[in-house]
Each structure stands twice: as structure tokens, then as C-alpha cells.
Amino acid sequence: MGDDKPAGGYDSTPLPRANGPTYNVKVTFHSATNLPVADFNDGSADPYILAQIKTSHKGRSQHEPNLRFRTNTIRKSLEPSWEQSWILGGIPSDGFDLSVRIYDEDPSDHDDRLGKVELSTGSINEQWKGIQKQEYKVKKSGSDLRAYTARWTCHLLGRKQLRARLTISIQVLGKTNNDLGKAYTINNFWWIHYSPMIGRIAGVKGKDDKGVEKYNFQANEIQLTGPVPPELYHRYVEFKTFVGGMFEATGLRGKILHKALHHQHERIYNFDRQTKFGEFEFNQDSKPSKDLALKFLEMVHYDQGGRIFTYVITLDGLMRFTETGKEFGIDLLSKHTMHSDVNRYIAWSGEFLVRRLAHPDESPEDPDQHTHPEEDVPGGPPNDEPPKDAAHYELIIDNDSGTYRPNKDLIPVLTKFLENNFNGLKIRVMACDDEKLDKIKEGQKKVKGKEGDKMVYGQQSTSDLGDHLHRSGSISSSDEEDLNDRANDMNEEDGVAQGVTGNLEKFANTVENPKNTINQSIIKAKHKVKEKGGKAEREKAEERDDQAS
């Protein structure tokens, strides 16, 4: 970076090459037995697995996020059967260490740890016999005390054995076709997270499976096939002195900001009974399935409604994104810091939108091409169902991120990566300072909210839920203004939070304690009535009372 630029952004540190051959490896989490009780009410649990691997690859920074995988949640079971596979590439010949944690999902409280399994594969090669449905004892160390208290109670009543076991398989699929010095995820899967409370706060409604409109907010994750090109390596930008402490969780100010942003990420990408999950059949001899591109288009509701999305692509190719716009103007909602879970390093970030092409066999930039939005193109929204063929669509994606500031010189690298993953979808990566991009986004905004079969926008103002939640105007994809506002809530001299609850903490408190927040808003509204008097003020306060009840 030049002397006139803040530290961070593109990091040109080269990725060390592998010292020898590397392999594609399939890890399958089959099932578990005799898990401890996590729910006293029904003597059951909602178990899922969070796995992590470590290899001998040196990497570029000790601060890169760990390579992780999460299974789906099995509801109300102490004998869960997942049968889910994590397929990895770039595994070195000396193998890897696998750490598996079993948790009970509990969105209303915190996820209890039910036990752990740790193993090392030792040296591997194409002749390695692998691990075939091997049972491993689930260790109790680090587990939640409540779960094992329930287990002992059940054991004393003669209802439960004490030894939990986890069944795992590991096999080598063949050599990796590159010599990159990193491990990465190959197979494709996706998650869609829903939050009715955040939808209510943002005033955003969605239709359920029965077509009923309800307040909801959607956050998406889709795992792309690795490896992410090593050139795509960006660190957060230190545009202010407090930013480093926030990402590194150092100093009182930094710890408060880091914890609040991490908490917000967990609330946006929450796992509960509404969460949807899916995976795609893996074929190591071909490109990702065309269904991957179709699932992505479904997540963004095709070309309906003039939507614009904020996204992050992690170093392992996990793409996280939510819709952005003035409807979602709540603190750092839809911002890159939140999407990345305050990670120091990512591959790329920015905004994107999708347009439908009138002539799918022609280039999007052909003079005779027409698109929706902005034009009324037949054969899809707003009058008909969107065509279910990726060739009919163009993804326009940029580097508009003040947090990481991806290097526009690497646009061709990102383009190729996305083309390899979204089979059939036309990809156009643009720089955020391109005037053509500004015009395209303006065209999207003109039709935003007027169309959309899957999503409609509520009329409720966020100010109805408290003045501290109200933000006027559109959201910029840059975090700078919001982070500066948040930092200004802190005392510059001693780093102590003024009143502790800045906008970010107030938002988190609203999500966790909605009734309390609404009640406080009502009290505040009534107080204003007393102070100002007037018939109009009283009527507004009474209306809010009715809505809250």
C-alpha cells in the first residue's frame, strides 16, 4: 500500500507451495449414539456437529480463519444420523488432525456442548486404507454440565447408558490437481437463515410456504468449490486507529466492538427450526452442478424487485450475503464486517445484483440486448414466473467494500472463479468506481420494492421500535461511517463506553429482548405526550400501544 493509503486491503503475501503431493479426502459424519440429554422437558437434544481440521501447511498468517464444517441439526434425537460428508482438497501426505464437537442447538439460549472427538489420520496416500465407519468414544471434557447432569439422572433411573459414540469414515479420493499449500472445501452446500424479529425491526416481510406474508429477514450462505485463487487475499483496512483493536479484540473499546459485531453475525446467521439446508451431489471429475447456480438465483429471488445484495466470500469460498438498501438501515446490518464475522482476512467483498436477459444466447453487453430490471422484458417478472435456466441471467458483482477494499486489478481472477462455480450464469465483475455500475444500480433502485413474488416490503418505520434504531437514507456498503459513529459513542480518553450501549449493542439488545425494547419505546412515546401535549401526539402513542399489544 502507498504511504497515502491506510494499512490493509490487498495483501500480496505469496502462498507457500506444498512440499509434496496433496490429496482430495472425504470425511463422512455418519451418526452418534447415547448422546447426553440436553432438554430436560422431553429427555432429548437437537444435535449437530462442528468440525475443524489442521494440516502441516504453513499458510500466510496465523490470523487466517480455521477450516470448519457444520452439519445439519437433527431434531429431538439422542441417536442422530447425519450421513453428511465434508470433501476437502489440498490435504498433505502427512494427513490432518480432525477435531469434532457435538452441540445441542438452542437458539433461545446458547448451544450446549455435548462432547468431542479428536483424531489424527497419520500419513495418507492413494493406497491408504482409510477409516471405515469407525466408532469413537465421545469425550466429556469441555462439555456442558447441565447435559451430563441430565445424563446421570437418566442413568440412575435405568434409562440411559453413559458412553456416547460417534461414527466417522475418512477416505482418499485421489490426488489434488494443484500444488497449493492450503487445504480447502470442494463440495457444495447451502444454508438459508430466517429471522422474524429482525424482519419486524427492519419492516421487511416475506411469504412462507403457504403464501402468507410475515415479517422475516433472510440471510444466505452458499459454499463454492475451492480452491479460492490465492491472489484473492484481503485484510481489513485500518482507516481509523480503533479499527485494528476491533478486529483483533484488543483494548476495552476493541473488545466491545468485536463482541458486538460477532454477536450480530450470530443473530443474522442464526440456526433454528426455520433454517433451511441443502447439499449437492459431488463429482470430482466435473464442474459444479448447474443446480448450484439455480440455487443461488433462487436465494436472490432471480431478477425480481430490483434487489441489491451485500456479500463476502471467505478464504474457503463460503459466500455469505443479505439484501441491502434503506429498508435494512439498522446499524451494521448487511455490512461486510458483520458478514465476515469480524475476520481479519477474506477473499473478496462488495455488492451484487442479478438481471434477466431478453436474449440469453447473446452477450449481456450486446447493443441489441435488453435486461430486467430496468426494462420490461417479457417471459418473466413482473408478470410471469422467472425462467429456471441460469443462461437467462447475468450476475453483476463489484468490489464496493470500505472494510476490505478488494483490488480491482484482480477482477479477472474473481471472474474466472465465479464462472467455474456458477455454471451457465453470465458473470460481470465491475469496479466500484465504474460510472456504468452507478447507472446500473440507479436503475435497480428505481424498481426496488415494486416487484417481487417472494419478498414484499412492510410500511413500518424502524422509528416505531425506538429512535435509536432509526437510520434515514440508503446504506452504503462501506462500514466507515457506521463504525466511526459507533466509536464516537466511546470515550476517546479512557476507552470506556458512554452508557455502554451504543447503537450496535442497542440493536443486539432489541433482538434478544424485543418486549423490553417495545415497552421502553411505548414509555418514551407516552413521556413525549406528557411533555408536548396535543391530540396528534396522544393518538400516535395510543396507536403504538395497540400494535404492541
Side-chain angles (χ1 to χ4, degrees):
M1 306 293 289
D3 294 338
D4 60 334
K5 297 180 180 179
Y10 176 56
D11 189 337
S12 60
T13 304
L15 177 69
R17 296 291 176 177
N19 293 324
T22 60
Y23 300 91
N24 293 342
V25 175
K26 181 179 182 180
V27 181
T28 302
F29 303 101
H30 294 288
S31 59
T33 57
N34 298 328
L35 289 181
V37 173
D39 188 341
F40 284 87
N41 294 324
D42 59 11
S44 187
D46 296 324
Y48 69 90
I49 283 174
L50 185 62
Q52 178 175 299
I53 73 158
K54 291 185 178 180
T55 71
S56 60
H57 290 314
K58 293 182 179 179
R60 287 171 283 193
S61 170
Q62 61 177 336
H63 302 302
E64 292 180 12
N66 295 316
L67 197 57
R68 290 183 172 180
F69 174 80
R70 188 198 196 278
T71 67
N72 195 17
T73 302
I74 305 299
R75 303 293 173 189
K76 294 189 178 300
S77 176
L78 301 180
E79 310 278 328
S81 176
W82 292 283
E83 294 298 336
Q84 284 182 237
S85 295
W86 184 18
I87 303 176
L88 300 148
I91 301 297
S93 58
D94 56 359
F96 61 91
D97 296 329
L98 176 65
S99 175
V100 181
R101 300 290 187 269
I102 305 175
Y103 288 91
D104 169 64
E105 183 181 286
D106 188 357
S108 63
D109 191 0
H110 71 279
D111 294 355
D112 298 330
R113 185 186 291 184
L114 304 181
K116 68 178 181 180
V117 171
E118 295 178 331
L119 64 97
S120 296
T121 62
S123 297
I124 63 173
N125 54 42
E126 290 180 283
Q127 287 72 47
W128 185 55
K129 293 182 179 180
I131 297 172
Q132 301 296 326
K133 289 193 174 182
Q134 177 69 46
E135 282 192 349
Y136 293 90
K137 295 179 181 178
V138 176
K139 298 178 182 178
K140 296 187 287 291
S141 56
S143 300
D144 190 271
L145 179 62
R146 291 181 298 175
Y148 279 87
T149 300
R151 155 168 287 202
W152 276 102
T153 302
C154 292
H155 172 68
L156 293 174
L157 294 174
R159 292 168 52 195
K160 186 70 182 172
Q161 297 181 13
L162 286 180
R163 179 62 67 184
R165 295 180 180 273
L166 175 66
T167 302
I168 299 174
S169 292
I170 303 177
Q171 66 179 115
V172 171
L173 301 179
K175 281 188 176 181
T176 303
N177 296 324
N178 60 61
D179 60 350
L180 293 178
K182 69 173 183 178
Y184 50 87
T185 300
I186 298 178
N187 58 322
N188 307 119
F189 44 88
W190 55 269
W191 300 91
I192 300 178
H193 310 265
Y194 296 100
S195 176
M197 178 50 61
I198 296 174
R200 179 172 291 278
I201 293 170
V204 180
K205 291 182 179 180
K207 291 183 179 180
D208 62 17
D209 295 337
K210 297 180 180 179
V212 178
E213 292 179 3
K214 296 181 179 179
Y215 284 109
N216 226 334
F217 181 82
Q218 179 178 329
N220 309 277
E221 298 181 274
I222 189 164
Q223 177 64 53
L224 307 180
T225 294
V228 172
E231 300 94 326
L232 305 184
Y233 192 62
H234 293 87
R235 191 177 77 92
Y236 67 87
V237 177
E238 298 181 72
F239 54 85
K240 290 287 184 179
T241 55
F242 70 85
V243 173
M246 179 187 72
F247 276 89
E248 297 167 17
T250 57
L252 181 58
R253 179 201 304 264
K255 289 177 181 178
I256 291 175
L257 284 169
H258 184 91
K259 184 175 181 180
L261 284 161
H262 177 68
H263 183 80
Q264 189 185 50
H265 174 88
E266 290 183 329
R267 289 302 164 194
I268 301 301
Y269 291 96
N270 62 314
F271 289 85
D272 58 21
R273 292 180 182 276
Q274 287 195 90
T275 303
K276 294 181 180 179
F277 167 79
E279 53 190 338
F280 299 92
E281 185 176 351
F282 173 72
N283 185 345
Q284 66 177 348
D285 297 322
S286 65
K287 275 187 171 186
S289 168
K290 287 187 176 182
D291 291 339
L292 182 69
L294 287 176
K295 172 52 67 174
F296 172 75
L297 289 168
E298 179 186 317
M299 287 171 148
V300 301
H301 312 294
Y302 297 92
D303 57 314
Q304 301 173 93
R307 294 171 172 84
I308 298 176
F309 296 82
T310 306
Y311 76 95
V312 157
I313 300 176
T314 70
L315 293 179
D316 191 39
L318 181 64
M319 187 175 185
R320 298 191 186 112
F321 57 94
T322 61
E323 189 173 350
T324 190
K326 65 181 180 180
E327 294 86 357
F328 312 106
I330 303 174
D331 240 354
L332 291 178
L333 192 62
S334 301
K335 297 302 184 68
H336 304 110
T337 316
M338 181 278 294
H339 288 304
S340 73
D341 198 14
V342 212
N343 266 317
R344 303 183 192 187
Y345 286 92
I346 65 163
W348 202 271
S349 59
E351 295 183 341
F352 72 80
L353 57 95
V354 170
R355 300 199 300 184
R356 187 174 87 256
L357 306 175
H359 309 293
D361 296 330
E362 297 178 7
S363 168
E365 299 185 70
D366 190 288
D368 295 328
Q369 186 67 270
H370 299 277
T371 66
H372 173 270
E374 310 169 47
E375 303 173 73
D376 188 8
V377 175
N383 301 315
D384 301 306
E385 285 293 309
K388 306 300 191 293
D389 182 351
H392 285 262
Y393 300 91
E394 176 189 27
L395 170 64
I396 298 176
I397 189 166
D398 64 34
N399 64 338
D400 189 4
S401 170
T403 305
Y404 298 99
R405 304 185 188 180
N407 185 353
K408 66 180 180 181
D409 293 340
L410 298 172
I411 281 178
V413 179
L414 178 65
T415 301
K416 185 176 180 180
F417 175 66
L418 294 176
E419 286 175 344
N420 287 337
N421 272 278
F422 293 134
N423 193 0
L425 183 63
K426 295 175 176 64
I427 308 293
R428 192 191 329 181
V429 184
M430 304 181 72
C432 61
D433 57 0
D434 190 327
E435 292 182 359
K436 293 181 180 178
L437 179 64
D438 292 337
K439 293 180 180 179
I440 291 172
K441 287 186 176 181
E442 283 303 315
Q444 291 286 111
K445 292 173 183 177
K446 287 179 181 179
V447 299
K448 189 176 179 68
K450 295 180 181 179
E451 303 172 7
D453 183 47
K454 298 290 184 181
M455 187 77 75
V456 296
Y457 302 104
Q459 300 301 312
Q460 175 185 359
S461 169
T462 52
S463 60
D464 289 347
L465 293 176
D467 292 343
H468 64 273
L469 289 175
H470 180 65
R471 289 289 184 92
S472 60
S474 298
I475 290 181
S476 164
S477 65
S478 170
D479 296 347
E480 291 188 27
E481 183 179 348
D482 298 274
L483 290 176
N484 281 327
D485 290 344
R486 180 61 191 90
N488 288 335
D489 288 338
M490 309 260 183
N491 187 302
E492 288 288 342
E493 294 180 359
D494 57 15
V496 177
Q498 298 298 311
V500 180
T501 53
N503 286 339
L504 209 60
E505 286 82 5
K506 288 177 181 178
F507 170 73
N509 290 337
T510 299
V511 174
E512 291 190 318
N513 303 293
K515 291 183 179 179
N516 183 54
T517 301
I518 294 173
N519 288 336
Q520 288 179 354
S521 300
I522 294 170
I523 292 171
K524 187 174 181 181
K526 289 181 177 179
H527 182 67
K528 287 182 177 179
V529 171
K530 282 187 177 182
E531 285 186 341
K532 297 181 179 180
K535 181 179 179 181
E537 306 261 9
R538 289 195 298 273
E539 289 177 347
K540 288 182 180 179
E542 290 169 357
E543 183 180 356
R544 280 192 287 266
D545 276 341
D546 293 336
Q547 291 176 349
S549 60

